[in-house]
Amino acid sequence: MTKRVLFLISDTGGGHRAGAMAIGAALDEIDKGTRLEWRIDDIAAHCTFPLSKLGPAYSAALRFAPPIYGALYHATNGRRRYRTIVRFCEPLYRERLKDVFTQYNPDVIVSVHPLLNHAALRARADAGMDHVPIVTVITDLGRVHEGWLLPEADLTIVPAREVYNRAIERGVPPSRLRLIGHPIHPKFEDVSATKSEIRSKLGLPQDATIALLMAGGEGGGKLLPTTLALAKTHLPFHLVIVTGRNAALKAKLEELAPTLPTPMTVLGFRNDVPELMRAADLLVTKAGPGTLAEASVAEVPVVVYDYVPGQERGNLDWVRTTGIGVVALTTAEVVQSVKRIVENSERLATMRAQLTGIAPRGSSRRIAELIVQVAQDGRKPTPRVPVSAAV
Ligand code: UDP
């Protein structure tokens, strides 16, 4: 009998979709005599205004007004405050979610977004689907937003110890909590080509030190000034800049590249990030949890130059405590940190060794196994908190 897995996401940044795609790819590998179907639904995009504009609004806020986004994040990050927001927003998503559930008829609902957990709980009740388990897969690595934590979830999967502790503190029962790791696409572990083969395939120099610059799926923030500062250092390296969905930034960098002293390759949104990371010696990135976790599997040390206020602050602590890289939040610090690493191969090797220890290998495959298990078992009869007390 076919089991259906419904992933709930919103395209705010690239990480939520990437997480769902990663687990989906791992589900496709599973063969246990169970036919599996999965679907990803960008819930916000189909809701009533203003939720329908959540993705573009997030993108604009990060490009033009990160402090405003940070203020909003903090303003909504409290148990009571979040409860109020959920009540206020309910009419905007409730019907849509209920329709999605009824039409797809999932065997398990998997939320990979902080704003969809409590929404899923209510819509499940509306749809009369109380027998369908809800799984929350948390993708942030540090102190997570209130919205992520749903004690009523049938399973909560977390990527880091700090998130595990916070979930316990917020009432998630240990029996329904698993510390597995960030859901990284299996393709990051399946790269078999050598660094040299990948460089050759991508037209990148064989002998140069390569620094890969990224800024998540949106490619905004301080990527431009950081690139320009590094390009003017006269360090002996080659820059590869991934501008993601930011077409304007790509055009601008392509125009500037011939005038800068450092050779660079400017790329748009790429589907071969696993290869790009393997080809690089160093990753200079904002603190996106997906990118950081992927870097650990690709064993490329990181310099973090920026973070989304509020939301990615905890990821900075994760970088510091795991030792997988350095945090350098001003342009001068970035230049200095990159210089130190590029000029000291021993330091680079030590950082690489740290990465091996913390990389969440097999995370998506393990998460997929758990999801299949939950879909097969259905909801376990556990004492529940009433829906009214859910947020
Ligand atoms: N990504 C990608 N192609 C690109 C740029 C980014 O596939 O050109 C992926 C990246 O590998 C990661 C995700 O987009 O999986 C970004 O997630 P992250 O959590 O780092 O940041 P967000 O975009 O959510 O802020």
Side-chain angles (χ1 to χ4, degrees):
M1 205 173 102
T2 303
K3 294 284 175 196
R4 290 189 198 84
V5 182
L6 177 63
F7 290 98
L8 306 181
I9 64 150
S10 172
D11 280 319
T12 46
H16 304 291
R17 184 173 288 276
M21 293 288 291
I23 303 166
L27 283 172
D28 285 341
E29 294 176 358
I30 292 177
D31 178 14
K32 277 196 172 166
T34 308
R35 253 183 56 74
L36 281 172
E37 244 180 42
W38 56 273
R39 183 174 118 179
I40 297 178
D41 217 293
D42 176 357
I43 295 299
H46 305 292
C47 287
T48 320
F49 181 84
L51 273 195
S52 55
K53 297 289 172 220
L54 196 62
Y58 176 83
S59 174
L62 292 196
R63 268 184 216 175
F64 306 114
I68 293 181
Y69 179 81
L72 265 175
Y73 181 94
H74 290 297
T76 56
N77 194 14
R79 217 189 292 212
R80 282 220 186 113
R81 275 169 282 160
Y82 189 67
R83 180 189 307 168
T84 311
I85 306 276
V86 169
R87 293 263 146 78
F88 177 75
C89 292
E90 250 176 29
L92 306 174
Y93 62 70
R94 214 165 160 164
E95 275 303 302
R96 165 66 192 157
L97 256 187
K98 181 185 147 210
D99 290 348
V100 169
F101 290 0
T102 315
Q103 281 159 20
Y104 191 59
N105 194 18
D107 294 282
V108 57
I109 296 160
V110 184
S111 167
V112 196
H113 197 282
L115 301 183
L116 296 171
N117 302 299
H118 300 84
L121 193 70
R122 286 179 193 275
R124 179 179 70 179
D126 288 347
M129 290 185 160
D130 280 332
H131 58 286
V132 179
I134 293 178
V135 177
T136 298
V137 180
I138 298 183
T139 55
D140 282 323
L141 301 162
R143 195 175 167 77
V144 296
H145 190 277
E146 203 60 46
W148 273 121
L149 301 162
L150 182 72
E152 296 78 4
D154 297 274
L155 188 63
T156 300
I157 296 168
V158 299
R161 175 60 60 185
E162 186 180 344
V163 186
Y164 185 95
N165 293 343
R166 183 152 158 77
I168 295 279
E169 190 189 295
R170 278 289 188 261
V172 177
S175 60
R176 287 189 262 139
L177 186 59
R178 298 284 183 284
L179 170 56
I180 292 188
H182 193 283
I184 295 169
H185 201 289
K187 66 186 179 181
F188 278 85
E189 289 165 59
D190 296 343
V191 176
S192 57
T194 63
K195 182 177 268 196
S196 160
E197 285 166 350
I198 298 170
R199 285 190 179 191
S200 155
K201 185 177 137 203
L202 297 172
L204 297 173
Q206 285 294 341
D207 301 325
T209 297
I210 291 183
L212 174 65
L213 276 80
M214 294 184 71
E218 301 297 333
K222 293 197 252 167
L223 185 55
L224 177 62
T226 305
T227 303
L228 297 182
L230 287 174
K232 289 173 189 165
T233 54
H234 295 278
L235 277 169
F237 61 4
H238 184 99
L239 302 180
V240 175
I241 304 111
V242 175
T243 57
R245 293 194 195 88
N246 195 337
L249 177 60
K250 181 169 183 279
K252 174 122 195 140
L253 278 171
E254 279 169 346
E255 188 190 315
L256 291 172
T259 67
L260 295 164
T262 302
M264 63 174 71
T265 305
V266 181
L267 304 168
F269 191 91
R270 302 286 294 194
N271 288 317
D272 56 355
V273 174
E275 281 81 15
L276 287 168
M277 284 191 181
R278 294 272 175 190
D281 298 293
L282 179 67
L283 172 67
V284 183
T285 179
K286 83 166 178 81
T291 306
L292 291 173
E294 289 161 2
S296 66
V297 171
E299 294 181 11
V300 57
V302 296
V303 173
V304 176
Y305 66 85
D306 198 7
Y307 66 100
V308 175
Q311 178 180 319
E312 290 181 349
R313 175 107 221 162
N315 301 341
L316 301 182
D317 299 332
W318 185 80
V319 169
R320 291 190 187 103
T321 52
T322 56
I324 68 151
V326 293
V327 176
L329 297 177
T330 65
T331 312
E333 280 171 4
V334 175
V335 168
Q336 204 179 44
S337 304
V338 170
K339 193 166 187 295
R340 269 198 216 124
I341 295 168
V342 169
E343 289 178 346
N344 183 347
S345 56
E346 243 172 64
R347 186 166 158 75
L348 197 62
T350 311
M351 289 168 86
R352 207 180 275 277
Q354 295 282 97
L355 289 156
T356 320
I358 59 108
R361 291 185 196 285
S363 54
S364 287
R365 289 174 171 131
R366 288 174 61 205
I367 294 170
E369 297 269 353
L370 279 173
I371 287 171
V372 172
Q373 193 67 54
V374 170
Q376 283 170 341
D377 293 352
R379 272 186 82 199
K380 294 232 165 68
T382 43
R384 316 233 125 237
V385 180
V387 168
S388 59
V391 289

